[in-house]
Structures are given as C-alpha cells and as structure tokens.
Amino acid sequence: MSTTTSHTPESEGPTRPVRLIQNEATTEIPVHLLFRDEPEPVPLRPSVVGRREGTGEQPRLRRPAPAQARHAPQVDPALVERPARVLPGAAGVVGGVCGLACGLATTWWAGALPPLVERALGLPLYPGAGLGPAQWAAYAGAGALGLFGFGGLARGRTGRAWVLGLFGRYRGTVRRTGLMWVNPLLLRRRVDVRLRHWRSEEMPAADASGVALRVAVLVVWRVRDTARATLGVEDHETYLRECVEAALTRVPVGTPGSGRGSVDAAAEALTRLVAGDTAPVGIEVFSVRPSRVEYAPEVAAAMHRRRIAALDAQHRATVLTSVVDSVEDTVTRLTMRGLVELDDGERKALVKDLTVAFCVGRGEAGGVG
C-alpha cells in the first residue's frame, strides 16, 4: 500500500485560505450606523440582486417602491379644449346665394323659368333644353351648395360656447361671437361659460359632534374647459352637485348660532375639496359657502330643548352670582358702619334671610318684565 504525499510548489505562491462555507458573501456596513445614539429602523432593507458567487461582489441594495399618492380621478389626457375651425358668416351667406343663383340658372337652362321672370332679370329668351340628367345634376349641386351655405350659419353669443363633434369625435370649441359659418355636419352642443351661482337645496351634513344638520350652500363656479365638462362626464352640473354632497359628509359644519370663524373654516375646507374633485372635468369652483344651517328634523326638538336648558342654567348662574354679591355687600356695610353687632349664628341667619329676599325680588322682577 503506497502513500502519496502532495507538496505545494514554490512557484504557486502562498496558499489561499480554504473557505469553510462555499457560498459565503460579505455585506458592507455603513460607518455611520456603528455610531448612532439610538437605534432606528433602517428604511432600506438590503436584498441580494444578481450576485455572482465566488467573486466577492457586494450585493446591490434594492430601494423599496414609494407609496403611490392618492390622486383625483382623471379623464382622458387628450381631451383638452382647443379652438375649432370656423369661417366668417359672410362665407356662408355667399355660398347660400351662389346656390340660389345656380338653381335659378339651371331653371333658365331647362326652360322652366317664366318669361315674366326672365324679362325682370334681364335674361335673353331661351326655349330651354328640358329637364335631363345634366339639369338634375346641376339642381343637386345648387341645392347642396345652398344648404351648406345657409345651414352652417350660426350666431355666437357672449358667455356661450359651441362644442363641436363629428361621428363621436371631438372637433373643437367655438368661443367666437357674432355671425359665423360652422360645418353643418358637425354636432353642436351649447355650453354656458359664464360665472354662475348655484344655491342648493338643503343637504344632509353634521357638526363636529356628529349631530345631524341640514345645510344649504352657495356655490360660485364656471366651466373652464368645455371639452372635459361636456364629454368627460355625462352631466357636469349633476357631477358638481354630487361633489358638494360628498364634501359635506367629510367636513364638519358649525352648528346654528356658531361664530363666523367656524363658518369661514367650513367654507374654506368645502371649497378646497370641491375644487379638487371638479378640476379634472374642467369645472372651476371659486367658493362653496354654507348659506343656511339648521338642525335635522329628527333632532331639532331635542336640540331646541337642550339650548333652552343651557340658557336657563346660564341665567340662573347669573342671578345667583348677583344675589350673592348683593348679600355680601349688604352684610359688609352693616357691620363696617357699626349699625349691627352680629355673632356667627346671627350672621348666618341674616345672610339666609337676605338671600331669600333678594331671590324672591329677582324672580318677581323677571316675571313682571
């Protein structure tokens, strides 16, 4: 049995240390983490991504994906108001007149024009070629020209706009005023772009304590983007109303009789919420302010009794404070001027009698008043 002994040649250099773990890897620790005063959770958790074994390559850190912020709902980004192509109204009038003139000339060509009309128009007498295919084609062209000319005439008004569409596709918005010519094949939708005030009916709401209220609000708004307001939602006025109702469920409204500061704070919060919800559909909201605040019918009676009880308690506390001050002033004056000399028992009896007398007097005065 032979024994084989292996020797390391000198040319191979020093012997490399043998790894105890074949897949071992080192992770670099930042220096600032060793000297922190208090332990804090590290926001970045190291994770190995694409490491090659046996190369000593340090693992790369994968940053966690940031939490996505909640954004308001958006409509089609390509749906943005743009000006439509229209012509001055004179072009439509000229086209219509040319259509009528072509129809009249075709009638004269066919010989169907009465002699009286020919003499009135100064036309030479022409026996006519009759109604053939050429005449009918000329009639069709003249009629189409006249219909396109007069049928495309439209009148633009201040504060109104036309939203144009063709086969379900948005073709632009017309904000011009005066007489103009619009392609009669386009579908027109009139939109009011003036500053508008909307006073709502009573809507359900609640105060900071959760008591049910009925609130009527005044909304100042206008249509800023006609394309989104008309095509982005089914009905932008209904959408605005629903946004106001949703905002009232999230914002506490001051109770009836509360200070102006509470109403201003609620109005500012309502305006901010409604403006953020309606901006994606082309509606610009300037103000949403509660104009009337009342308790809901189911809690109105109970809150009325509660308010009366609070006022009564406040009145009683005021009367009692006044009576105590009057009794104290009376007893102090009597003793300081030496009119009476009282021991503790007599002082207590005098205070009791004066308190009863003053309370009865205050009650009679209040009842008479």
Side-chain angles (χ1 to χ4, degrees):
M1 182 174 184
S2 60
T3 304
T4 303
T5 305
S6 60
H7 301 278
T8 304
E10 295 179 359
S11 60
E12 295 181 1
T15 305
R16 297 178 63 184
V18 180
R19 290 187 176 183
L20 298 180
I21 302 176
Q22 296 297 330
N23 295 330
E24 69 176 350
T26 58
T27 302
E28 185 176 351
I29 302 177
V31 178
H32 70 278
L33 297 179
L34 302 176
F35 299 95
R36 293 190 306 174
D37 296 335
E38 54 182 4
E40 296 180 359
V42 183
L44 299 179
R45 300 184 59 184
S47 58
V48 179
V49 181
R51 181 180 61 185
R52 293 180 295 177
E53 298 181 359
T55 60
E57 181 179 353
Q58 300 298 329
R60 299 190 299 272
L61 298 181
R62 177 184 297 169
R63 296 179 178 275
Q68 296 182 355
R70 179 181 177 272
H71 299 284
Q74 298 290 335
V75 297
D76 186 3
L79 189 61
V80 180
E81 179 181 331
R82 62 178 182 271
R85 298 178 181 178
V86 296
L87 298 177
V93 174
V94 171
V97 171
C98 289
L100 292 177
C102 291
L104 185 62
T106 303
T107 305
W108 174 78
W109 179 28
L113 194 65
L116 182 61
V117 176
E118 291 181 354
R119 288 193 296 270
L121 296 176
L123 298 176
L125 297 177
Y126 181 69
L131 292 176
Q135 286 76 15
W136 286 115
Y139 271 126
L145 183 60
L147 290 177
F148 263 76
F150 291 123
L153 292 177
R155 183 180 60 174
R157 299 181 180 180
T158 304
R160 304 292 179 90
W162 292 98
V163 177
L164 307 181
L166 180 62
F167 304 120
R169 184 180 179 183
Y170 173 63
R171 304 299 297 178
T173 300
V174 180
R175 289 180 177 261
R176 296 176 54 179
T177 58
L179 187 64
M180 55 188 169
W181 184 86
V182 183
N183 188 348
L185 297 180
L186 298 177
L187 177 63
R188 310 174 190 177
R189 298 184 182 180
R190 186 182 293 274
V191 182
D192 192 344
V193 295
R194 296 174 296 180
L195 187 66
R196 304 172 65 181
H197 295 73
W198 172 55
R199 186 183 300 274
S200 71
E201 66 276 5
E202 293 184 353
M203 297 182 178
D207 62 358
S209 302
V211 179
L213 302 174
R214 303 291 294 181
V215 181
V217 297
L218 178 64
V219 184
V220 182
W221 64 286
R222 70 173 179 181
V223 174
R224 184 179 184 86
D225 193 308
T226 57
R228 294 188 174 185
T230 306
L231 306 176
V233 290
E234 184 176 358
D235 185 356
H236 60 274
E237 295 185 4
T238 303
Y239 182 82
L240 174 63
R241 170 192 171 87
E242 293 175 352
C243 289
V244 172
E245 291 182 353
L248 285 174
T249 61
R250 291 181 286 174
V251 176
V253 183
T255 57
S258 59
R260 183 176 180 180
S262 176
V263 177
D264 292 341
E268 182 178 356
L270 288 172
T271 303
R272 184 172 61 255
L273 288 177
V274 177
D277 291 340
T278 56
V281 297
I283 298 178
E284 185 176 9
V285 176
F286 298 95
S287 173
V288 181
R289 188 175 185 84
S291 60
R292 186 173 67 254
V293 181
E294 297 177 353
Y295 287 110
E298 58 271 16
V299 298
M303 297 306 298
H304 180 70
R305 291 194 298 267
R306 180 180 177 182
R307 188 174 182 181
I308 294 299
L311 292 176
D312 187 41
Q314 183 179 3
H315 176 69
R316 289 177 181 273
T318 303
V319 170
L320 181 59
T321 302
S322 177
V323 168
V324 170
D325 293 341
S326 300
V327 171
E328 181 182 6
D329 183 64
T330 302
V331 174
T332 301
R333 289 185 179 184
L334 289 176
T335 54
M336 291 185 62
R337 293 183 181 182
L339 299 178
V340 292
E341 294 183 359
L342 304 173
D343 54 10
D344 292 340
E346 294 175 346
R347 182 185 295 273
K348 292 180 180 179
L350 179 60
V351 168
K352 180 179 179 180
D353 295 340
L354 289 176
T355 302
V356 172
F358 284 153
C359 287
V360 172
R362 296 275 182 176
E364 292 179 354
V368 173

